[in-house]
């Protein structure tokens, strides 16, 4: 007790050690989980229903591969469409113009409020509602362009519109939340420097909002990759539909579903890694220690 | 233009003309009214700031000081009255039926000539110090990037932080951030600098380093309006002092006169409580 400052001894042995209590429940848990895992592995290896040889043959089957390409292509286009619509919706909703805000709100209300499956089938059957797609004066005025709807709306267009518009509604809400997370002082400082409105948005607000927008958007992309399987209902040959076509012919349902599951897992894993790097990019200036190069 | 023709006709020398230009106030607020959330926040403000003058704007919380600054910089539209900066009305233009608001695009050009420094610094956190400073000169003023960088380094040195050019704002102390924010505003070569409580978010030690930069700026002849609670600093640095209370100007004049013999009882009260 009389020791001060530098004179303190470092007598580790003299300090009482503090023990963790043994956790009986934990060991019980480990046992249960092990049994379950063992059962799963056993089933995978020895249940003949999985038919691993067939899974192997079809993993790289040409129509499976072209299905994957379609799935990726559709996912990218839907997300691009969704993000563009989302940015517009968010900016409209946050603008001071009540008419724009109303339009944005209504769009979100409708496309978020109806099932995507219904929207998809609706677009596919658009032709029954409007046999001709026309650009011109509405209410039976003269028309400039007329296209038969069943030509304009292929199953791909139907899938793109059905998924893309709904995705736009969700992205609009995600982007709006992101934009609102940026402090008003940032907008003010940007205005005071003479930035034009779109410069304030593009240079100051959006890059900061990205930090809040990226993680849920990653979620949306991963979700969308799987949601594209809904397009099989309008006979778009994406991964799921290609798989369906094969097992409708061969009746090897379970192994074909495994092929699909494995491929979706692989694609999602790649996306997850990509998301990590994008998040890292937009956290610039928020990490603990850093300097820009140069 | 009309002035020039007139003086030429009268045979006035250019230097006399300059004299006249220079004696005109840089900022003129004429009967400015502003409503926020249903309340009159500014109730007929008249204020003049001459070229090279430093005016401090004091007053109790809620008096409308920030609002007045924001109106001068047209971050806020005014409802009635006129604000002239350099003889150009801010935020509106004369038309047949009176005055009309101008578009946001036009406003941004007017704002570019006025520097503003905020209580919370408001540096852009996703940009390095250098990027913060050169962005507006390059993007808005269309300066060449190399010129802007050179100017930025000069300014960073002037505010005493030459080694921080590549740091991000988050890694600077509050006082350092505020000094960079001042450098950022100066990079636009403004005619006028507005300060809204630049030291309120800082502890006393950091306050001084920011006040020194502002003092230095005052000596260099920059026209400034400073809203502050640092009453002693205001007395030291400003030529004129204006005291606001409840949306009106209740006392205005030369700093020494306002401080030594304020006439308005609320102003007297405010000054005796703050000193
Ligand atoms: N957006 C707003 N909506 C409604 N009232 C507002 C708004 N902004 C400011 N006010 C009110 O206007 C008045 C003046 O505000 P202002 O911020 O200009 O005061 P101030 O003199 O700068 O005070 P402080 O010293 O606290 O910064 C206050 O009463 C405030 O409540
Ligand atoms: Mg204020």
């Amino acid at each position: 007790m009389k020791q001060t400052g530098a004179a303190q001894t470092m007598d580790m042995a003299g300090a009482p050690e503090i023990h963790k209590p043994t956790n009986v429940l934990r060991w019980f848990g480990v046992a249960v989980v092990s049994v379950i895992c063992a059962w799963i592995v056993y089933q995978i290896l020895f249940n003949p229903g999985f038919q691993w040889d067939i899974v192997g043959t079809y993993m790289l089957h040409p129509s499976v591969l072209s299905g994957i390409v379609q799935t990726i292509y559709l996912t990218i286009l839907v997300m691009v469409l969704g993000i563009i619509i989302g940015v517009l919706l968010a900016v409209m909703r946050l603008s001071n113009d009540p008419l724009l805000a109303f339009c944005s709100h209504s769009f979100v209300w409708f496309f978020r409020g109806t099932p995507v499956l219904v929207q998809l089938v609706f677009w596919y059957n658009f032709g029954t509602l409007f046999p001709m797609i026309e650009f011109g004066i509405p209410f039976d005025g003269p028309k400039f362009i007329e296209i038969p709807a069943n030509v304009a709306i292929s199953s791909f267009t139907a899938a793109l519109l059905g998924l893309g518009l709904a995705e736009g509604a969700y992205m609009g809400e995600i982007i709006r939340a992101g934009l609102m997370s940026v402090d008003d002082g940032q907008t003010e400082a940007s205005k005071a420097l003479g930035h034009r409105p779109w410069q304030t948005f593009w240079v100051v607000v959006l890059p900061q909002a990205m930090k809040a927008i990226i993680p849920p958007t990653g979620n949306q992309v991963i979700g969308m990759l799987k949601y594209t399987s809904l397009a099989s209902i309008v006979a778009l040959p994406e991964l799921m539909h290609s798989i369906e076509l094969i097992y409708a012919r061969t009746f090897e349902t379970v192994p074909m579903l495994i092929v699909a599951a494995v491929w979706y897992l692989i694609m999602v894993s790649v996306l997850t890694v990509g998301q990590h790097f994008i998040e890292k990019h937009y956290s610039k200036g928020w990490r603990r220690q850093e300097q820009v190069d140069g | 233009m009309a002035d020039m023709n007139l003086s030429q006709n009268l045979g006035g020398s250019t230097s006399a003309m300059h004299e006249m230009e220079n004696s005109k106030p840089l900022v003129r607020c004429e009967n400015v009214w502003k409503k926020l959330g249903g309340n009159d926040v500014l109730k007929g403000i008249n204020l003049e700031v001459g070229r090279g003058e430093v005016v401090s704007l004091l007053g109790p919380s809620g008096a409308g000081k920030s609002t007045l600054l924001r109106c001068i910089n047209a971050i806020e539209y005014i409802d009635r009255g006129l604000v002239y900066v350099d003889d150009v009305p801010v935020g509106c233009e004369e038309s047949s039926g009176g005055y009309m608001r101008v578009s946001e695009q036009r406003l941004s050009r007017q704002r570019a000539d006025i520097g503003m420094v905020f209580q919370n610094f408001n540096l852009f956190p996703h940009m390095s110090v250098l990027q913060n400073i050169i962005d507006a000169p390059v993007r808005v003023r269309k300066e060449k990037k190399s010129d802007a960088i050179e100017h930025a380094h000069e300014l960073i040195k002037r505010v005493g932080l030459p080694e921080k050019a590549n740091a991000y704002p988050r890694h600077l102390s509050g006082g350092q951030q505020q000094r960079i924010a001042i450098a950022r505003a100066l990079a636009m070569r403004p005619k006028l600098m507005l300060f809204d409580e630049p030291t309120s978010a800082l502890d006393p030690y950091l306050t001084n380093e920011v006040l020194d930069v502002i003092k230095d700026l005052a000596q260099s002849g920059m026209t400034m309006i400073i809203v502050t609670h640092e009453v002693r600093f205001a007395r030291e640095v400003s030529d004129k002092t204006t005291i606001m209370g409840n949306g009106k100007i209740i006392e205005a004049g030369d700093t020494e006169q306002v401080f030594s013999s304020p006439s308005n009882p609320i102003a007297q009260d405010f000054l005796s409580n703050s000193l």
Side-chain angles (χ1 to χ4, degrees):
Chain A
M1 281 296 114
K2 281 183 193 138
Q3 290 167 341
T4 56
Q8 288 194 354
T9 55
M10 309 240 237
D11 179 15
M12 203 168 143
E17 195 179 343
I18 295 167
H19 299 276
K20 273 190 210 155
T22 36
N23 192 339
V24 184
L25 224 57
R26 160 77 48 77
W27 287 112
F28 180 69
V30 168
V32 170
V33 172
S34 312
V35 169
I36 293 174
C37 288
W39 183 79
I40 291 174
V41 170
Y42 174 82
Q43 286 294 324
I44 288 174
L45 291 180
F46 298 109
N47 187 330
F50 283 112
Q51 294 173 285
W52 288 104
D53 49 329
I54 295 174
V55 171
T57 15
Y58 279 103
M59 263 321 265
L60 298 174
H61 190 276
S63 63
V64 170
L65 292 183
S66 82
I68 290 170
V69 171
Q70 278 281 345
T71 291
I72 293 175
Y73 185 52
L74 184 61
T75 305
I76 292 173
L77 283 190
V78 166
M79 283 315 295
V80 168
L81 183 65
I83 288 171
I84 291 172
I85 293 176
V87 170
L88 288 178
L89 289 175
V91 171
M92 283 163 67
R93 181 76 182 275
L94 294 176
S95 76
N96 291 325
D97 189 319
L99 181 64
L100 291 180
F102 169 79
C103 292
S104 163
H105 201 149
S106 310
F107 186 100
V108 172
W109 170 76
F110 183 81
F111 284 97
R112 213 172 49 168
T114 50
V116 175
L117 192 58
V118 173
Q119 292 177 33
L120 238 140
V121 177
F122 171 84
W123 286 113
Y124 195 56
N125 293 299
F126 194 68
T128 56
L129 204 54
F130 300 98
M132 295 298 262
I133 296 179
E134 309 158 326
F135 294 95
I137 315 294
F139 303 116
D140 299 320
K143 307 287 181 254
F144 309 126
I145 307 174
E146 291 182 302
I147 314 166
N150 54 1
V151 175
I153 309 257
S154 63
S155 59
F156 190 83
T157 328
L160 184 58
L161 287 174
L163 295 171
L165 295 180
E167 187 57 25
Y170 282 98
M171 282 309 299
E173 292 299 283
I174 290 174
I175 293 169
R176 183 167 72 96
L179 295 178
M180 288 196 308
S181 76
V182 179
D183 184 41
D184 281 343
Q186 292 289 312
T187 311
E188 246 171 56
S190 164
K191 279 186 181 175
L193 283 170
H195 281 149
R196 312 241 155 147
W198 67 270
Q199 289 174 327
T200 297
F201 176 75
W202 195 250
V203 179
V204 176
V205 178
L206 191 59
Q208 295 185 57
M210 286 307 255
K211 219 167 55 96
I213 292 174
I214 294 286
T217 303
N219 236 359
Q220 292 296 110
V221 177
I222 288 168
M224 185 48 67
L225 192 80
K226 295 173 294 169
Y227 259 115
T228 52
S229 60
L230 283 181
S232 59
I233 207 116
V234 295
L236 182 78
E238 41 66 62
L239 177 55
M240 199 57 216
H241 194 60
S242 313
I243 297 278
E244 281 169 3
L245 287 179
I246 294 173
Y247 69 65
R249 189 159 39 81
T250 64
F251 299 106
E252 282 148 343
T253 313
V254 173
M256 287 319 292
L257 288 178
I258 292 174
V259 171
V262 169
W263 271 116
Y264 279 115
L265 261 180
I266 291 173
M267 289 190 280
V268 166
S269 307
V270 171
L271 284 176
T272 309
V273 174
Q275 182 183 357
H276 170 77
F277 285 105
I278 296 176
E279 272 178 32
K280 214 166 140 186
H281 174 77
Y282 280 104
S283 65
K284 216 167 54 177
W286 277 273
R287 265 169 280 145
R288 281 184 178 280
Q289 275 307 319
E290 68 196 320
Q291 300 253 309
V292 284
D293 348 300
Chain B
M1 222 43 202
D3 279 355
M4 215 158 92
N5 288 336
L6 194 67
S7 60
Q8 269 163 0
N9 288 344
L10 295 173
S13 71
T14 28
S15 71
M17 207 179 82
H18 252 103
E19 202 85 317
M20 224 173 78
E21 280 279 300
N22 282 340
S23 61
K24 270 192 186 167
L26 181 65
V27 182
R28 227 163 69 227
C29 299
E30 290 179 358
N31 202 5
V32 172
W33 290 75
K34 174 73 188 172
K35 245 187 176 53
L36 278 175
N39 302 322
D40 282 317
V41 178
L42 300 179
K43 305 170 189 167
I45 298 288
N46 289 295
L47 176 75
E48 287 196 354
V49 181
R51 280 159 213 280
E53 232 170 42
V54 178
V55 174
S56 51
L57 194 53
L58 312 178
S61 191
K65 307 177 298 285
S66 301
T67 309
L68 179 56
L69 282 196
R70 292 154 57 85
C71 288
I72 292 173
N73 200 5
I75 284 180
E76 204 85 72
Y77 281 108
I78 58 180
D79 299 330
R80 284 171 170 279
L82 288 167
V83 174
Y84 292 94
V85 173
D86 225 358
D87 276 320
V88 181
V90 172
C92 61
E93 60 187 353
E94 221 168 335
S95 72
S96 51
Y99 289 90
M100 292 290 284
R101 278 186 188 180
V102 299
S103 68
E104 275 282 325
Q105 302 275 337
R106 286 270 303 278
L107 268 188
S108 50
R109 214 171 317 151
Q110 297 187 322
R111 291 180 189 132
D113 290 335
I114 304 174
M116 186 143 182
V117 174
F118 302 88
Q119 182 175 346
N120 299 320
F121 330 132
N122 293 340
L123 291 177
F124 305 135
H126 58 303
M127 297 184 188
S128 72
V129 163
L130 191 68
Q131 288 167 330
N132 261 283
I133 297 177
I134 66 170
D135 185 86
V138 172
R139 212 181 288 276
V140 177
R141 280 252 185 277
K142 311 279 179 228
E143 271 180 41
K144 252 175 56 193
K145 196 168 175 189
S146 55
D147 295 347
I149 290 176
E150 198 177 318
H151 189 206
H153 279 295
E154 256 166 56
L155 290 167
I156 298 172
K157 207 179 287 169
R158 184 163 167 197
V159 299
L161 295 166
E163 72 288 354
K164 295 293 186 192
N166 292 324
Y168 278 94
R170 250 197 96 172
H171 305 132
L172 303 179
S173 73
Q176 292 171 333
Q177 288 190 46
Q178 192 61 297
R179 282 143 71 192
I180 295 300
I182 294 173
R184 177 175 71 174
L186 291 176
M188 291 296 279
R189 307 175 198 276
K191 305 176 194 171
L192 168 71
M193 286 285 285
L194 307 174
F195 291 85
D196 192 358
E197 302 191 20
T199 60
S200 292
L202 303 175
D203 64 41
Y205 180 73
L206 296 178
T207 296
N208 282 331
E209 64 183 45
V210 172
L211 294 185
D212 285 343
V213 170
I214 298 175
K215 241 182 272 177
D216 173 62
L217 211 54
Q219 268 148 24
S220 75
M222 175 64 78
T223 312
M224 306 199 277
I225 304 178
I226 306 173
V227 174
T228 181
H229 289 301
E230 300 282 331
V231 174
R232 221 166 317 139
F233 168 74
R235 186 170 192 172
E236 184 185 348
V237 79
S238 55
D239 308 309
K240 300 261 174 71
T241 294
T242 298
I243 302 178
M244 284 181 73
N246 199 14
K248 295 189 194 115
I249 290 182
I250 55 176
E251 186 83 44
D254 290 334
T255 296
E256 265 323 302
Q257 190 208 324
V258 169
F259 274 87
S260 53
S261 51
S263 54
N264 182 296
I266 302 172
Q268 281 167 6
D269 213 41
F270 174 77
L271 286 175
S272 60
N273 281 333
S274 320
L275 279 173

mmCIF file with all atom_site columns, all heavy atoms in Angstrom, chain B residues 82 84 89 91-102 106:
data_model
loop_
_atom_site.group_PDB
_atom_site.id
_atom_site.type_symbol
_atom_site.label_atom_id
_atom_site.label_alt_id
_atom_site.label_comp_id
_atom_site.label_asym_id
_atom_site.label_entity_id
_atom_site.label_seq_id
_atom_site.pdbx_PDB_ins_code
_atom_site.Cartn_x
_atom_site.Cartn_y
_atom_site.Cartn_z
_atom_site.occupancy
_atom_site.B_iso_or_equiv
_atom_site.pdbx_formal_charge
_atom_site.auth_seq_id
_atom_site.auth_comp_id
_atom_site.auth_asym_id
_atom_site.auth_atom_id
_atom_site.pdbx_PDB_model_num
ATOM 1   N N   . LEU B 1 82  ? -35.486 43.681 -48.910 1.00 0.00 ? 82  LEU B N   1
ATOM 2   C CA  . LEU B 1 82  ? -34.423 43.386 -49.864 1.00 0.00 ? 82  LEU B CA  1
ATOM 3   C C   . LEU B 1 82  ? -33.089 43.269 -49.159 1.00 0.00 ? 82  LEU B C   1
ATOM 4   O O   . LEU B 1 82  ? -32.818 43.980 -48.187 1.00 0.00 ? 82  LEU B O   1
ATOM 5   C CB  . LEU B 1 82  ? -34.331 44.498 -50.909 1.00 0.00 ? 82  LEU B CB  1
ATOM 6   C CG  . LEU B 1 82  ? -35.471 44.551 -51.929 1.00 0.00 ? 82  LEU B CG  1
ATOM 7   C CD1 . LEU B 1 82  ? -35.418 45.855 -52.684 1.00 0.00 ? 82  LEU B CD1 1
ATOM 8   C CD2 . LEU B 1 82  ? -35.383 43.358 -52.878 1.00 0.00 ? 82  LEU B CD2 1
ATOM 9   N N   . TYR B 1 84  ? -29.172 43.501 -50.372 1.00 0.00 ? 84  TYR B N   1
ATOM 10  C CA  . TYR B 1 84  ? -28.245 43.742 -51.480 1.00 0.00 ? 84  TYR B CA  1
ATOM 11  C C   . TYR B 1 84  ? -26.853 43.332 -51.046 1.00 0.00 ? 84  TYR B C   1
ATOM 12  O O   . TYR B 1 84  ? -26.410 43.677 -49.958 1.00 0.00 ? 84  TYR B O   1
ATOM 13  C CB  . TYR B 1 84  ? -28.177 45.229 -51.842 1.00 0.00 ? 84  TYR B CB  1
ATOM 14  C CG  . TYR B 1 84  ? -29.433 45.797 -52.440 1.00 0.00 ? 84  TYR B CG  1
ATOM 15  C CD1 . TYR B 1 84  ? -30.380 46.411 -51.641 1.00 0.00 ? 84  TYR B CD1 1
ATOM 16  C CD2 . TYR B 1 84  ? -29.643 45.735 -53.817 1.00 0.00 ? 84  TYR B CD2 1
ATOM 17  C CE1 . TYR B 1 84  ? -31.534 46.954 -52.199 1.00 0.00 ? 84  TYR B CE1 1
ATOM 18  C CE2 . TYR B 1 84  ? -30.783 46.275 -54.382 1.00 0.00 ? 84  TYR B CE2 1
ATOM 19  C CZ  . TYR B 1 84  ? -31.724 46.885 -53.572 1.00 0.00 ? 84  TYR B CZ  1
ATOM 20  O OH  . TYR B 1 84  ? -32.846 47.416 -54.125 1.00 0.00 ? 84  TYR B OH  1
ATOM 21  N N   . PRO B 1 89  ? -29.507 42.676 -55.702 1.00 0.00 ? 89  PRO B N   1
ATOM 22  C CA  . PRO B 1 89  ? -30.434 42.077 -54.741 1.00 0.00 ? 89  PRO B CA  1
ATOM 23  C C   . PRO B 1 89  ? -30.227 40.564 -54.679 1.00 0.00 ? 89  PRO B C   1
ATOM 24  O O   . PRO B 1 89  ? -30.059 39.922 -55.711 1.00 0.00 ? 89  PRO B O   1
ATOM 25  C CB  . PRO B 1 89  ? -31.819 42.431 -55.289 1.00 0.00 ? 89  PRO B CB  1
ATOM 26  C CG  . PRO B 1 89  ? -31.605 42.810 -56.701 1.00 0.00 ? 89  PRO B CG  1
ATOM 27  C CD  . PRO B 1 89  ? -30.193 43.292 -56.838 1.00 0.00 ? 89  PRO B CD  1
ATOM 28  N N   . GLY B 1 91  ? -31.303 36.802 -54.183 1.00 0.00 ? 91  GLY B N   1
ATOM 29  C CA  . GLY B 1 91  ? -32.439 35.883 -54.166 1.00 0.00 ? 91  GLY B CA  1
ATOM 30  C C   . GLY B 1 91  ? -33.649 36.362 -54.951 1.00 0.00 ? 91  GLY B C   1
ATOM 31  O O   . GLY B 1 91  ? -34.649 35.668 -55.007 1.00 0.00 ? 91  GLY B O   1
ATOM 32  N N   . CYS B 1 92  ? -33.596 37.568 -55.516 1.00 0.00 ? 92  CYS B N   1
ATOM 33  C CA  . CYS B 1 92  ? -34.746 38.014 -56.297 1.00 0.00 ? 92  CYS B CA  1
ATOM 34  C C   . CYS B 1 92  ? -34.278 38.984 -57.364 1.00 0.00 ? 92  CYS B C   1
ATOM 35  O O   . CYS B 1 92  ? -33.132 39.428 -57.361 1.00 0.00 ? 92  CYS B O   1
ATOM 36  C CB  . CYS B 1 92  ? -35.785 38.670 -55.398 1.00 0.00 ? 92  CYS B CB  1
ATOM 37  S SG  . CYS B 1 92  ? -35.181 40.121 -54.548 1.00 0.00 ? 92  CYS B SG  1
ATOM 38  N N   . GLU B 1 93  ? -35.162 39.287 -58.278 1.00 0.00 ? 93  GLU B N   1
ATOM 39  C CA  . GLU B 1 93  ? -34.821 40.279 -59.296 1.00 0.00 ? 93  GLU B CA  1
ATOM 40  C C   . GLU B 1 93  ? -36.042 41.137 -59.573 1.00 0.00 ? 93  GLU B C   1
ATOM 41  O O   . GLU B 1 93  ? -37.184 40.717 -59.343 1.00 0.00 ? 93  GLU B O   1
ATOM 42  C CB  . GLU B 1 93  ? -34.335 39.593 -60.570 1.00 0.00 ? 93  GLU B CB  1
ATOM 43  C CG  . GLU B 1 93  ? -35.370 38.674 -61.183 1.00 0.00 ? 93  GLU B CG  1
ATOM 44  C CD  . GLU B 1 93  ? -34.807 37.882 -62.340 1.00 0.00 ? 93  GLU B CD  1
ATOM 45  O OE1 . GLU B 1 93  ? -33.666 38.144 -62.738 1.00 0.00 ? 93  GLU B OE1 1
ATOM 46  O OE2 . GLU B 1 93  ? -35.515 37.002 -62.838 1.00 0.00 ? 93  GLU B OE2 1
ATOM 47  N N   . GLU B 1 94  ? -35.782 42.350 -60.034 1.00 0.00 ? 94  GLU B N   1
ATOM 48  C CA  . GLU B 1 94  ? -36.872 43.264 -60.291 1.00 0.00 ? 94  GLU B CA  1
ATOM 49  C C   . GLU B 1 94  ? -37.607 42.827 -61.550 1.00 0.00 ? 94  GLU B C   1
ATOM 50  O O   . GLU B 1 94  ? -36.992 42.433 -62.527 1.00 0.00 ? 94  GLU B O   1
ATOM 51  C CB  . GLU B 1 94  ? -36.318 44.680 -60.462 1.00 0.00 ? 94  GLU B CB  1
ATOM 52  C CG  . GLU B 1 94  ? -37.182 45.692 -59.782 1.00 0.00 ? 94  GLU B CG  1
ATOM 53  C CD  . GLU B 1 94  ? -36.506 47.043 -59.687 1.00 0.00 ? 94  GLU B CD  1
ATOM 54  O OE1 . GLU B 1 94  ? -35.262 47.097 -59.709 1.00 0.00 ? 94  GLU B OE1 1
ATOM 55  O OE2 . GLU B 1 94  ? -37.235 48.026 -59.595 1.00 0.00 ? 94  GLU B OE2 1
ATOM 56  N N   . SER B 1 95  ? -38.909 42.799 -61.499 1.00 0.00 ? 95  SER B N   1
ATOM 57  C CA  . SER B 1 95  ? -39.673 42.530 -62.711 1.00 0.00 ? 95  SER B CA  1
ATOM 58  C C   . SER B 1 95  ? -40.842 43.504 -62.728 1.00 0.00 ? 95  SER B C   1
ATOM 59  O O   . SER B 1 95  ? -40.984 44.310 -61.818 1.00 0.00 ? 95  SER B O   1
ATOM 60  C CB  . SER B 1 95  ? -40.153 41.080 -62.725 1.00 0.00 ? 95  SER B CB  1
ATOM 61  O OG  . SER B 1 95  ? -41.185 40.923 -61.778 1.00 0.00 ? 95  SER B OG  1
ATOM 62  N N   . SER B 1 96  ? -41.675 43.388 -63.756 1.00 0.00 ? 96  SER B N   1
ATOM 63  C CA  . SER B 1 96  ? -42.726 44.396 -63.953 1.00 0.00 ? 96  SER B CA  1
ATOM 64  C C   . SER B 1 96  ? -43.602 44.550 -62.704 1.00 0.00 ? 96  SER B C   1
ATOM 65  O O   . SER B 1 96  ? -43.894 45.652 -62.272 1.00 0.00 ? 96  SER B O   1
ATOM 66  C CB  . SER B 1 96  ? -43.577 44.011 -65.161 1.00 0.00 ? 96  SER B CB  1
ATOM 67  O OG  . SER B 1 96  ? -44.004 42.666 -65.013 1.00 0.00 ? 96  SER B OG  1
ATOM 68  N N   . GLY B 1 97  ? -43.985 43.400 -62.096 1.00 0.00 ? 97  GLY B N   1
ATOM 69  C CA  . GLY B 1 97  ? -44.924 43.489 -60.977 1.00 0.00 ? 97  GLY B CA  1
ATOM 70  C C   . GLY B 1 97  ? -44.269 43.627 -59.621 1.00 0.00 ? 97  GLY B C   1
ATOM 71  O O   . GLY B 1 97  ? -44.895 43.365 -58.613 1.00 0.00 ? 97  GLY B O   1
ATOM 72  N N   . GLY B 1 98  ? -42.974 43.950 -59.572 1.00 0.00 ? 98  GLY B N   1
ATOM 73  C CA  . GLY B 1 98  ? -42.283 44.056 -58.289 1.00 0.00 ? 98  GLY B CA  1
ATOM 74  C C   . GLY B 1 98  ? -41.057 43.169 -58.303 1.00 0.00 ? 98  GLY B C   1
ATOM 75  O O   . GLY B 1 98  ? -40.292 43.187 -59.261 1.00 0.00 ? 98  GLY B O   1
ATOM 76  N N   . TYR B 1 99  ? -40.862 42.367 -57.260 1.00 0.00 ? 99  TYR B N   1
ATOM 77  C CA  . TYR B 1 99  ? -39.678 41.509 -57.203 1.00 0.00 ? 99  TYR B CA  1
ATOM 78  C C   . TYR B 1 99  ? -40.081 40.049 -57.279 1.00 0.00 ? 99  TYR B C   1
ATOM 79  O O   . TYR B 1 99  ? -41.050 39.632 -56.675 1.00 0.00 ? 99  TYR B O   1
ATOM 80  C CB  . TYR B 1 99  ? -38.907 41.770 -55.906 1.00 0.00 ? 99  TYR B CB  1
ATOM 81  C CG  . TYR B 1 99  ? -38.221 43.114 -55.911 1.00 0.00 ? 99  TYR B CG  1
ATOM 82  C CD1 . TYR B 1 99  ? -38.870 44.254 -55.436 1.00 0.00 ? 99  TYR B CD1 1
ATOM 83  C CD2 . TYR B 1 99  ? -36.940 43.253 -56.429 1.00 0.00 ? 99  TYR B CD2 1
ATOM 84  C CE1 . TYR B 1 99  ? -38.255 45.486 -55.466 1.00 0.00 ? 99  TYR B CE1 1
ATOM 85  C CE2 . TYR B 1 99  ? -36.320 44.480 -56.457 1.00 0.00 ? 99  TYR B CE2 1
ATOM 86  C CZ  . TYR B 1 99  ? -36.966 45.597 -55.973 1.00 0.00 ? 99  TYR B CZ  1
ATOM 87  O OH  . TYR B 1 99  ? -36.352 46.803 -56.008 1.00 0.00 ? 99  TYR B OH  1
ATOM 88  N N   . MET B 1 100 ? -39.315 39.278 -58.067 1.00 0.00 ? 100 MET B N   1
ATOM 89  C CA  . MET B 1 100 ? -39.585 37.843 -58.218 1.00 0.00 ? 100 MET B CA  1
ATOM 90  C C   . MET B 1 100 ? -38.394 37.053 -57.704 1.00 0.00 ? 100 MET B C   1
ATOM 91  O O   . MET B 1 100 ? -37.248 37.441 -57.913 1.00 0.00 ? 100 MET B O   1
ATOM 92  C CB  . MET B 1 100 ? -39.770 37.494 -59.702 1.00 0.00 ? 100 MET B CB  1
ATOM 93  C CG  . MET B 1 100 ? -41.009 38.061 -60.355 1.00 0.00 ? 100 MET B CG  1
ATOM 94  S SD  . MET B 1 100 ? -42.489 37.257 -59.750 1.00 0.00 ? 100 MET B SD  1
ATOM 95  C CE  . MET B 1 100 ? -42.405 35.707 -60.627 1.00 0.00 ? 100 MET B CE  1
ATOM 96  N N   . ARG B 1 101 ? -38.673 35.923 -57.070 1.00 0.00 ? 101 ARG B N   1
ATOM 97  C CA  . ARG B 1 101 ? -37.584 35.022 -56.667 1.00 0.00 ? 101 ARG B CA  1
ATOM 98  C C   . ARG B 1 101 ? -36.825 34.534 -57.892 1.00 0.00 ? 101 ARG B C   1
ATOM 99  O O   . ARG B 1 101 ? -37.438 34.263 -58.921 1.00 0.00 ? 101 ARG B O   1
ATOM 100 C CB  . ARG B 1 101 ? -38.164 33.783 -55.986 1.00 0.00 ? 101 ARG B CB  1
ATOM 101 C CG  . ARG B 1 101 ? -38.489 33.976 -54.551 1.00 0.00 ? 101 ARG B CG  1
ATOM 102 C CD  . ARG B 1 101 ? -38.904 32.637 -53.982 1.00 0.00 ? 101 ARG B CD  1
ATOM 103 N NE  . ARG B 1 101 ? -39.403 32.810 -52.636 1.00 0.00 ? 101 ARG B NE  1
ATOM 104 C CZ  . ARG B 1 101 ? -39.843 31.822 -51.872 1.00 0.00 ? 101 ARG B CZ  1
ATOM 105 N NH1 . ARG B 1 101 ? -39.854 30.594 -52.357 1.00 0.00 ? 101 ARG B NH1 1
ATOM 106 N NH2 . ARG B 1 101 ? -40.259 32.046 -50.658 1.00 0.00 ? 101 ARG B NH2 1
ATOM 107 N N   . VAL B 1 102 ? -35.507 34.358 -57.752 1.00 0.00 ? 102 VAL B N   1
ATOM 108 C CA  . VAL B 1 102 ? -34.750 33.778 -58.864 1.00 0.00 ? 102 VAL B CA  1
ATOM 109 C C   . VAL B 1 102 ? -34.639 32.273 -58.638 1.00 0.00 ? 102 VAL B C   1
ATOM 110 O O   . VAL B 1 102 ? -34.945 31.765 -57.562 1.00 0.00 ? 102 VAL B O   1
ATOM 111 C CB  . VAL B 1 102 ? -33.337 34.398 -58.997 1.00 0.00 ? 102 VAL B CB  1
ATOM 112 C CG1 . VAL B 1 102 ? -33.437 35.870 -59.259 1.00 0.00 ? 102 VAL B CG1 1
ATOM 113 C CG2 . VAL B 1 102 ? -32.492 34.117 -57.772 1.00 0.00 ? 102 VAL B CG2 1
ATOM 114 N N   . ARG B 1 106 ? -29.541 30.246 -60.277 1.00 0.00 ? 106 ARG B N   1
ATOM 115 C CA  . ARG B 1 106 ? -29.008 31.596 -60.182 1.00 0.00 ? 106 ARG B CA  1
ATOM 116 C C   . ARG B 1 106 ? -28.501 31.875 -58.773 1.00 0.00 ? 106 ARG B C   1
ATOM 117 O O   . ARG B 1 106 ? -27.457 32.491 -58.583 1.00 0.00 ? 106 ARG B O   1
ATOM 118 C CB  . ARG B 1 106 ? -30.093 32.624 -60.540 1.00 0.00 ? 106 ARG B CB  1
ATOM 119 C CG  . ARG B 1 106 ? -30.419 32.719 -62.003 1.00 0.00 ? 106 ARG B CG  1
ATOM 120 C CD  . ARG B 1 106 ? -29.530 33.772 -62.687 1.00 0.00 ? 106 ARG B CD  1
ATOM 121 N NE  . ARG B 1 106 ? -29.657 35.088 -62.060 1.00 0.00 ? 106 ARG B NE  1
ATOM 122 C CZ  . ARG B 1 106 ? -30.625 35.959 -62.299 1.00 0.00 ? 106 ARG B CZ  1
ATOM 123 N NH1 . ARG B 1 106 ? -31.580 35.639 -63.140 1.00 0.00 ? 106 ARG B NH1 1
ATOM 124 N NH2 . ARG B 1 106 ? -30.642 37.124 -61.692 1.00 0.00 ? 106 ARG B NH2 1
#
